[in-house]
Amino acid sequence: MLTAKPNPLTFQELIFTLQKFWADQGCILQQPYDVEMGAGTMSPETFLRVLGPKPYHVCYLQPSRRPADGRYGENPNRLFKHTQCQVILKPPPDNVQDLYLQSLQAIGVELRKHDLKFEEDNWESPTLGAWGIGWQVMLDGLEVTQFTYFQQCGGVDLEPISAELTYGLERLCAFLQDVDSVYDIVWARDPKTGREITYREIRQAEELQFSVYNFEYADVEKTWEHLRLYEAECKALLDEYNAKSKAVREKKSESLDDLKRFPILPAFDLCLKCSHLFNLLDARGAISVTERVGVIARIRALAVGVAKAYVDQQSDTAAAAVNS
Amino acid sequence: MPDFLLEIGLEEIPARMIDSAREELARRTQELLTRENLAPSDSKFTSYSTPRRLAVFVEGINAAQADVQEQVTGPSLKVAYKDGVPTPAAEAFAKKVGVEVAKLGKISNPKGEYLAATIQKKGRSAAEVLTELLPKEMAGIYWAKNMYWRAGKPERFVRPVRWITALLEGHVVPLEFGGIKAAAKTHGHRILSEGEIPLSKPENYKDSLEKAKVLVSPAEREHRIRKALDAATRTIPGLRWREDEDLLRTVVNLTEFPSVIIGSFEKEYLSLPEEVLVTVMRDHQKYFAVEDASGKLAPYFLAVLNTDSDPDGLIRHGNERVLRARFNDARFFWEADQKVSLRDRVEMLKNVTFQKELGSYYEKAKRMAHLVTIGGADFDHPQHKIKRNALYEAAWLAKADLTTELVKEFTELQGIVGGLYARAQGLDPAIADAIYDHYKPESMDDASPRTLESALLALADKADSIAGMFALGLQPTGSKDPFALRRQANGIVKIIVEHKLPVDLRILFQVALVGYKGSEAEKKFTQLDKYSESVSAFFRERLEFYLRDVRGFAYDEVNAVLAAGHDRVTDALDRVQAVSEVRKSADFEPISIAFKRIKNILRQANEVGKAPNGKFDRAALEDPAEKQLAEAVEKTAPVVAELRHKHKYADALAEIAKLRPTLDTFFEKVMVMVDDEKLRSNRLLLLQKMLNDFSTIADFSEIVTEKK
C-alpha cells in the first residue's frame, strides 16, 4: 500500500498538530461551540467575531451536524456529523496562503510529492446573509480545505476582511492514512500496547442512531413547535434590544449598561437552534415548497438581526451617544 | 529602444477569467502607450498569464515622449495694449508662457487679432507616464467577480495582489497598485521554486521564470499538456484520450508547470452509464476520459498536474482514491434511485420549487403535458407521425429526475439521468429519448433534440418558462437575464428551424398561457395586458439575432423580412433566403427604391391630410402609364399570392421585380399629387394596393440601397 508517510497521524494527532500549528501563529485556541450547527462558520467564534473592527485570530474544532447528510453509518464518505477545523484570521496576514501550505506540511504532507491547486470556489450562505470569495484547495484531486475571504456576514459589509480556512478533518485524515472509508480512520493508538482505536468504534453507532432519528423518528409536530418557540424568544430579545438602543441613541435613556449587558449572545444561540431544527425538519421531509422559502427567510431575519444588534452593541457610537 | 515588462502577481485567479483578463491588460497597455505617443507602430506586445500572474511584455517603446511645440493664444490686442503700452493682461500672459512681452507673437483669427506665443512642451519620460497612468489601467480590468482584502478597503480586484514587477530596460518603473510597489523581482512556482526571482531585464522574463518552473505562455502550456496527454495515453496500447477544448482551456489556466499522469479505475464501474462517469471525471475532477479504438470508454483517466512529476506514484494513487469514492457515490445513488420509479416521483415534484411565483415542478409538468397535447396538435411531420402517448407521458415525467439523488449530486445531468432511468425502467424508448434531450440545445453550438417528440417536449418546457416569466413581468432587460430566457428563446428558434416545425409563436404562447389558468401563479400575473406584445417583440429580437448572427443574412434583408411578419420562424427563414437570392438580380435594387418612394408618397400624403379615400376605380385612371401599371399589378397580384401560398418565395419575388419597367414609366410620366382630388386619391389607392399586395414576403423599403 502506498502511503504518504510510514506513520501517518492518528485522528487525534491530526487535531493536536493543527491546533499547535495555528496556536504558534498567534491564534486563540477555542473549544467547539456546544450548540448544534451545520458548519463551523455558524459558530459565534466566526459569525460574530468577524463583525466589527477588532482583530481576532482563532482556531477551533466544530462538529458540524447536517441531518440530511446522514447515511446510517453505511456510506464510507458521508456523515451526519463531521468535524471541521476552522481558522479565522482577522485581518489576514499577507502570507496567509503560505501559512496554510505550512500547515499542510506540519501534518505530514510533503508538498514536493503532491499536486496542489487553488480552484475558484466562492462560498455563500443565504441563511446567514454571508458570502465570501475564495477557493477549494485540491490536493491530488481531493478537496481538503475551503479557503474564503469573507466579504459580508449577517448582511453586514465586513471591515476588516477575515480569511477563513475550513479543514474537513475526516476527509483529510483518511487521505493521510490512505484509507477508503472514514470508519477505518485510526482515531488513537495506545502508546503502550500499540492498539488502534478506529473512527468506527467511536462514531458509527452515533451515525446510525442519529440517521434513524433524523429520518424516521423526529416528531415533526414537536420539532415545528420547538422551532416556533426558539424563534419567538429570539425575536423578542432582538426587539427589546433594538428599542433600548434607539432610546440610547435618541438620548431618552442613559443606561449604556443596559445595552452592554443585554443578552445578544444568547439570542444568537436561539437562532442557531432554529437553524438546526430547520435542517432536521428538512431531512425529515416535513417542509413543503411554500414553507421552505418562508422558513429560510425567517431564520435569515434572525441571523441578520443578531448581527446588526451585535455590531451596534460593540460600536463606540452607542457609548459616545451616552457620554456626550 | 527600450523594452517594458509588467507582471501583476496575484493569489490564484479563477481559471475561467484568466484569458480575457490577460488580453485586456495587453490591450489597455497598448492603448495607453499609443495614446501617450510612447509606442511606435512597430512596437511588439506579447501577453502572458498563469493562475498567479498576468503579464505584458512590450518590445521597443520610446524612452520619452517627443518634445512638442505648442501655440498658445493670449488676450486680444485690444485688451493687451492701451495706447501702445502693454497692459497687465499682456504681462500676465507673457509671464505665463515665459516670454518677454516684446517677443510675443500675434495671430489673427476670424474674431480678431490676438497675442500668441510658441512654447516648447517637454515630452515626459515613459517611466513617468507609466508610473502615473498604468495603475489606472490595471484597476480598470473587468472581473466577473471581485473582492476586497486590504485594510480600509481601498480597492477591489479579482484576488489579492501580492507583487508587481515593472521594468523599463534595467530600471524599475516605480508604479504602485493594490498597495504594492513594483520591484525588479518575481516569484516562481509555488512549490517547485523557492524565494524571489531577481529580474534584471524585461527580455529575461520568460526564461527566468521557466528556470523557476513557470511556463508563462499559455500556448506553451497547452502544447506541453497535449504532448503529455499523448505520451501518457500511449503507455497503454489501443487507447486515445477524448478531445475536450473547454477542459483543456481550464487546465491550462490551473497550472504553471503542467505534467500528466494516467490513472485507472476498476472495470466494474463501466457498468454505470457513460454520461455519469464522464461527468464525474470531467466536471468534478477535471480529468480527461480515455476511450478504446471503438470509442468505448476505457477504465482509465488522465489528470493534469500543476507539478513536474509524480516519482513515487503518490499523486496517481491519491487521484485514483478520490475517483473511486466519487464513482462509489454515483453507483450508490444510481442504485438507490431505482427503488422509486420515475412515475412515482412525479408526486414528489410537488415539493420541488420551479420558481417562487410560478409554483412547483409538479405544476410545471402538468402544464407541459397540456402544452404538448394542445400545442403539438398540428405538428405531424409528413414522414413522421408524432407518438402522442409517448410525448404526453414524457412531459409528465420530464422533471421527475430532479428528485433523484444522482441529479441532486450532479445537477448538470438533469434530463440525461431522467432519460437513463426511463430506459432502465423499461419505458418506451420514445419517452426515454424525449426526456434525455429536453434541455437541449443549451447554446447555439449545442445540437437540437434528436427526435420529433423530444423537440416538442423541449419546446413546451421552454415556452412554459418564458410564458410564466413574461406574464409576471420578469422578462430580460439589458444585461440582466437571471432566468436565461434569451438562451431558452434561442433554443426555441433553433429547434423550430432544425425540425422544420410549422409553429406559430403567437399561438404557441397563447396556449402556453392557458396552462396557467386557475393556478396560484395566475393571481400574480400583473403584466397580461402587455404579454402578447412583449413576447412578440422578444422573439422578433431573437429571430433577428438568429438570422443575422447565426445564419449570416444581411441585416437589411432580415429587417425587410421580419417587417412582413415574424410569428412563423421557418417561414421567415424561407423568405429571407429568397430575398437574399433574388437580391443579386438586376431589378431588385431599383424596385426596392421604387417601393421606398411609394411609401414616402403615401406617408407624405397622410401628413398633409391628403390620405386617399374611397375605393380604387380603375376606370377613372387617365394616363396610359398608370393604366399599364394597374393592369400589371392586377395580373401579378394573384400570381404572387399563389406562389407565396406555395412557399415559392424566390419566384414570387422575381414576379414582383418584373414590375420594375412599368413602375419606372409610371413615375416618369405620372404626377401623383395632382390637385384633382379624385384623380389623386385614385393614384394613391393604386400605390397603396401595390404596397399591400407585394409586401407580404418582405418589406422592400427596408432594403438599404446605394442610391437615395
Side-chain angles (χ1 to χ4, degrees):
Chain A
M1 190 163 73
L2 280 160
T3 53
K5 277 214 151 184
N7 271 317
L9 300 179
T10 62
F11 191 62
Q12 64 191 32
E13 284 166 347
L14 171 63
I15 294 170
F16 303 152
T17 312
L18 273 177
Q19 290 189 326
K20 176 81 170 66
F21 177 86
W22 287 107
D24 288 347
Q25 302 302 325
C27 285
I28 304 284
L29 281 191
Q30 257 289 20
Q31 299 307 306
Y33 202 67
D34 50 355
V35 174
E36 307 98 320
M37 61 185 74
T41 304
M42 302 173 84
S43 163
E45 287 300 305
T46 294
F47 184 80
L48 297 178
R49 296 280 192 181
V50 298
L51 299 167
K54 258 192 221 160
Y56 195 63
H57 288 189
V58 66
C59 169
Y60 60 94
L61 293 197
Q62 186 61 52
S64 301
R65 291 171 170 84
R66 296 175 184 172
D69 284 357
R71 292 290 184 272
Y72 296 86
E74 288 167 5
N75 185 299
N77 299 301
R78 273 173 208 250
L79 297 164
F80 147 65
K81 186 174 95 178
H82 72 283
T83 320
Q84 293 181 341
C85 174
Q86 173 96 351
V87 179
I88 291 293
L89 302 169
K90 177 193 181 187
D94 288 349
N95 64 341
V96 52
Q97 281 185 309
D98 289 334
L99 288 181
Y100 167 72
L101 295 184
Q102 288 168 29
S103 78
L104 291 183
Q105 279 168 316
I107 58 172
V109 179
E110 281 180 75
L111 293 175
R112 186 64 191 79
K113 294 187 171 176
H114 293 276
D115 176 39
L116 188 95
K117 298 190 188 95
F118 286 80
E119 297 184 7
E120 180 191 20
D121 193 15
N122 303 320
W123 174 84
E124 185 184 19
S125 166
T127 320
L128 295 178
W131 65 276
I133 295 273
W135 309 273
Q136 46 179 345
V137 184
M138 306 297 286
L139 186 61
D140 298 347
L142 178 74
E143 182 194 348
V144 287
T145 306
Q146 183 77 36
F147 190 135
T148 309
Y149 286 103
F150 265 32
Q151 305 287 304
Q152 203 184 59
C153 187
V156 178
D157 286 331
L158 299 182
E159 161 69 356
I161 300 300
S162 295
E164 178 202 58
L165 305 176
T166 306
Y167 304 78
L169 290 189
E170 283 82 359
R171 192 185 275 195
L172 191 55
C173 200
F175 172 83
L176 294 174
Q177 296 184 4
D178 192 33
V179 292
D180 282 337
S181 164
V182 293
Y183 294 107
D184 292 331
I185 288 172
V186 177
W187 187 299
R189 192 177 293 112
D190 189 299
K192 290 189 201 99
T193 63
R195 189 179 101 82
E196 291 178 343
I197 298 173
T198 63
Y199 197 88
R200 179 178 287 106
E201 288 172 68
I202 310 289
R203 292 235 40 251
Q204 198 172 30
E206 185 188 349
E207 283 293 323
L208 170 61
Q209 293 193 14
F210 272 91
S211 293
V212 171
Y213 177 75
N214 295 336
F215 291 124
E216 301 168 27
Y217 276 80
D219 186 314
V220 171
E221 267 320 300
K222 289 204 178 82
T223 308
W224 272 120
E225 187 59 22
H226 292 150
L227 175 57
R228 277 191 287 271
L229 290 172
Y230 283 124
E231 182 191 18
E233 192 179 357
C234 182
K235 245 177 122 258
L237 283 173
L238 290 175
D239 287 348
E240 187 173 339
Y241 177 84
N242 290 334
K244 280 184 196 291
S245 171
K246 193 161 171 259
V248 169
R249 260 182 279 116
E250 290 170 358
K251 300 190 183 169
K252 285 180 190 151
S253 160
E254 296 281 299
S255 49
L256 177 62
D257 278 353
D258 250 19
L259 285 190
K260 273 175 115 177
R261 67 191 296 279
F262 194 88
I264 291 298
L265 300 177
F268 186 57
D269 278 12
L270 296 169
C271 169
L272 288 176
K273 290 275 187 199
C274 292
S275 166
H276 177 68
L277 291 166
F278 167 76
N279 291 340
L280 185 53
L281 285 164
D282 203 24
R284 195 78 178 75
I287 299 185
S288 73
V289 197
T290 32
E291 281 166 328
R292 201 186 148 77
V293 182
V295 181
I296 290 177
R298 275 157 60 191
I299 295 170
R300 184 191 149 90
L302 298 181
V304 168
V306 169
K308 296 225 152 55
Y310 179 84
V311 170
D312 184 82
Q313 194 176 41
Q314 298 281 309
S315 72
D316 296 329
T317 40
V322 176
N323 295 336
S324 63
Chain B
M1 267 195 281
D3 297 340
F4 173 67
L5 171 84
L6 171 74
E7 182 190 62
I8 312 175
L10 294 154
E11 295 185 357
E12 279 76 354
I13 313 165
R16 66 189 168 107
M17 303 179 191
I18 293 178
D19 288 334
S20 62
R22 176 188 64 240
E23 284 159 21
E24 186 176 345
L25 177 65
R27 180 173 53 74
R28 283 176 173 273
T29 307
Q30 181 164 14
E31 282 169 3
L32 171 68
L33 290 171
T34 309
R35 198 161 60 228
E36 293 295 326
N37 298 315
L38 286 167
S41 58
D42 57 352
S43 313
K44 200 175 145 212
F45 290 78
T46 313
S47 64
Y48 298 112
S49 65
T50 76
R52 292 176 75 206
R53 63 199 85 224
L54 297 174
V56 54
F57 173 49
V58 194
E59 290 166 89
I61 70 169
N62 298 326
Q65 296 166 331
D67 296 347
V68 285
Q69 291 199 334
E70 202 173 304
Q71 177 131 88
V72 197
T73 308
S76 80
L77 287 189
K78 281 181 214 153
V79 178
Y81 292 95
K82 263 246 145 74
D83 309 324
V85 180
T87 63
E91 282 175 10
F93 176 66
K95 198 176 163 197
K96 191 180 122 196
V97 296
V99 180
E100 285 169 48
V101 176
K103 291 187 178 162
L104 285 170
K106 277 182 235 167
I107 55 158
S108 46
N109 64 31
K111 283 189 268 169
E113 279 199 304
Y114 290 81
L115 274 186
T118 304
I119 54 168
Q120 291 280 346
K121 218 179 151 190
K122 193 131 183 58
R124 297 205 296 161
S125 74
E128 210 178 315
V129 172
L130 288 166
T131 305
E132 184 197 329
L133 297 176
L134 197 50
K136 292 190 184 116
E137 298 300 326
M138 291 149 81
I141 295 173
Y142 168 79
W143 300 104
K145 204 159 186 152
N146 51 26
M147 60 173 280
Y148 292 109
W149 69 97
R150 281 212 288 157
K153 309 213 297 194
E155 74 278 286
R156 284 205 286 180
F157 210 60
V158 63
R159 288 294 185 275
V161 179
R162 291 307 181 201
W163 75 86
I164 304 274
T165 315
L167 283 180
L168 190 61
E169 282 298 84
H171 302 284
V172 173
V173 177
L175 55 83
E176 193 176 326
F177 179 66
I180 307 279
K181 280 207 168 69
K185 56 201 178 190
T186 177
H187 292 253
H189 188 280
R190 225 184 232 305
I191 288 157
L192 301 178
S193 157
E194 251 179 84
E196 292 165 334
I197 312 294
L199 205 62
S200 56
K201 290 209 153 142
E203 67 258 37
N204 298 342
Y205 175 68
K206 196 163 161 279
D207 292 342
S208 300
L209 274 173
E210 186 159 352
K211 283 191 199 107
K213 302 282 186 182
V214 175
L215 298 177
V216 289
S217 156
E220 267 178 45
R221 290 200 303 280
E222 177 174 338
H223 181 68
R224 180 182 287 237
I225 290 171
R226 280 184 176 280
K227 272 174 57 184
L229 286 169
D230 288 341
T233 313
R234 268 200 305 273
T235 58
I236 298 169
L239 298 185
R240 61 178 178 228
W241 56 279
R242 274 200 192 161
E243 185 67 45
D244 188 332
E245 273 299 323
D246 291 343
L247 182 58
L248 196 59
R249 209 167 306 129
T250 303
V251 293
V252 163
N253 285 326
L254 277 175
T255 52
E256 297 208 295
F257 203 76
S259 62
V260 170
I261 51 148
I262 186 158
S264 64
F265 56 85
E266 289 74 9
K267 279 199 182 72
E268 62 192 70
Y269 292 116
L270 290 174
S271 64
L272 279 169
E274 192 175 308
E275 293 88 336
V276 175
L277 298 174
V278 171
T279 299
V280 171
M281 288 194 278
R282 182 189 56 211
D283 297 352
H284 294 253
Q285 296 300 129
K286 306 195 169 68
Y287 299 155
F288 287 85
V290 176
E291 60 187 25
D292 63 21
S294 69
K296 241 178 85 331
L297 208 61
Y300 296 94
F301 66 91
L302 294 156
V304 178
L305 314 180
N306 184 29
T307 189
D308 55 356
S309 62
D310 180 25
D312 300 346
L314 277 180
I315 302 175
R316 179 180 49 75
H317 178 72
N319 278 285
E320 286 176 344
R321 204 179 142 270
V322 177
L323 188 61
R324 196 182 308 126
R326 285 262 184 197
F327 281 168
N328 255 331
D329 266 0
R331 184 167 58 185
F332 172 80
F333 293 142
W334 173 260
E335 284 163 7
D337 286 342
Q338 299 290 353
K339 289 175 192 156
V340 183
S341 73
L342 281 183
R343 282 187 177 129
D344 290 338
R345 286 179 184 279
V346 173
E347 192 66 19
M348 294 159 71
L349 286 175
K350 287 181 176 167
N351 277 320
V352 186
T353 314
F354 161 49
Q355 198 270 343
K356 199 163 61 154
E357 313 286 350
L358 299 179
S360 72
Y361 270 105
Y362 179 87
E363 290 166 84
K364 184 173 177 57
K366 193 170 149 188
R367 290 193 303 268
M368 283 163 63
H370 159 85
L371 196 47
V372 295
T373 313
I374 311 292
D378 304 326
F379 295 163
D380 270 336
H381 201 268
Q383 282 95 43
H384 181 88
K385 271 211 140 339
I386 300 171
K387 293 177 184 144
R388 288 185 193 288
N389 292 339
L391 178 55
Y392 181 77
E393 179 148 21
W396 267 108
L397 298 178
K399 301 296 177 187
D401 70 354
L402 295 176
T403 67
T404 64
E405 295 301 318
L406 202 57
V407 169
K408 283 184 201 161
E409 186 74 8
F410 306 111
T411 46
E412 59 272 61
L413 284 176
Q414 59 183 6
I416 293 171
V417 165
L420 292 171
Y421 283 148
R423 211 167 297 158
Q425 288 162 18
L427 298 176
D428 184 341
I431 298 176
D433 290 348
I435 298 172
Y436 190 100
D437 273 359
H438 86 275
Y439 286 96
K440 287 175 145 307
E442 304 262 13
S443 70
M444 275 301 172
D445 301 325
D446 191 18
S448 281
R450 287 160 299 175
T451 66
L452 182 56
E453 288 79 16
S454 59
L456 292 174
L457 184 57
L459 208 61
D461 182 19
K462 293 166 174 59
D464 174 73
S465 300
I466 294 171
M469 295 298 185
F470 272 69
L472 288 172
L474 293 176
Q475 55 263 47
T477 49
S479 61
K480 286 202 182 115
D481 185 10
F483 305 104
L485 298 184
R486 288 198 187 102
R487 179 163 57 83
Q488 300 198 53
N490 289 342
I492 288 182
V493 170
K494 191 173 157 100
I495 291 169
I496 291 177
V497 169
E498 291 180 5
H499 281 271
K500 298 192 173 64
L501 298 175
V503 177
D504 186 315
L505 290 172
R506 195 166 286 270
I507 297 172
L508 176 67
F509 279 90
Q510 285 311 324
V511 178
L513 198 58
V514 173
Y516 285 93
K517 229 173 171 51
S519 69
E520 278 300 305
E522 199 188 16
K523 295 177 193 157
K524 293 160 193 146
F525 286 172
T526 53
Q527 305 289 318
L528 283 179
D529 50 333
K530 293 183 212 132
Y531 173 80
S532 290
E533 195 190 322
S534 53
V535 171
S536 173
F538 176 61
F539 268 94
R540 185 188 161 135
E541 218 180 271
R542 294 299 92 209
L543 198 50
E544 211 178 295
F545 164 76
Y546 178 78
L547 295 175
R548 273 164 47 177
D549 296 2
V550 181
R551 303 296 296 258
F553 290 102
Y555 80 96
D556 59 337
E557 292 167 8
V558 172
N559 286 348
V561 158
L562 296 186
H566 55 269
D567 289 331
R568 289 181 173 268
V569 174
T570 46
D571 187 62
L573 176 63
D574 289 347
R575 285 185 284 128
V576 76
Q577 268 163 345
V579 169
S580 172
E581 193 180 309
V582 174
R583 186 170 195 173
K584 292 168 212 129
S585 72
D587 285 333
F588 189 79
E589 295 243 330
I591 203 129
S592 298
I593 297 171
F595 268 79
K596 227 170 272 180
R597 199 161 164 191
I598 294 173
K599 224 174 169 180
N600 282 337
I601 292 170
L602 287 166
R603 198 195 61 232
Q604 282 160 9
N606 270 329
E607 279 167 7
V608 297
K610 291 180 177 171
N613 51 41
K615 268 192 128 176
F616 175 62
D617 176 9
R618 194 167 159 207
L621 296 174
E622 287 179 353
D623 195 292
E626 62 180 329
K627 286 182 182 160
Q628 242 177 26
L629 180 63
E631 199 178 312
V633 168
E634 274 163 23
K635 222 173 73 192
T636 309
V639 178
V640 168
E642 173 72 13
L643 288 168
R644 192 199 187 298
H645 184 70
K646 289 183 179 155
H647 295 243
K648 293 186 171 171
Y649 297 128
D651 293 349
L653 291 171
E655 282 301 319
I656 298 169
K658 280 188 203 156
L659 292 170
R660 180 198 159 185
T662 325
L663 198 53
D664 283 352
T665 316
F666 172 83
F667 279 124
E668 247 164 64
K669 301 268 162 84
V670 180
M671 164 88 171
V672 178
M673 299 305 279
V674 289
D675 289 338
D676 180 334
E677 196 195 321
K678 191 152 176 258
L679 196 57
R680 182 183 67 228
S681 188
N682 214 29
R683 286 175 179 166
L684 286 171
L685 285 167
L686 172 62
L687 293 181
Q688 183 75 63
K689 181 174 159 52
M690 268 202 81
L691 206 59
N692 291 349
D693 286 351
F694 302 134
S695 296
T696 56
I697 295 168
D699 178 347
F700 294 97
S701 66
E702 292 282 349
I703 298 291
V704 176
T705 48
E706 275 174 34
K707 284 171 285 179
K708 258 262 160 177

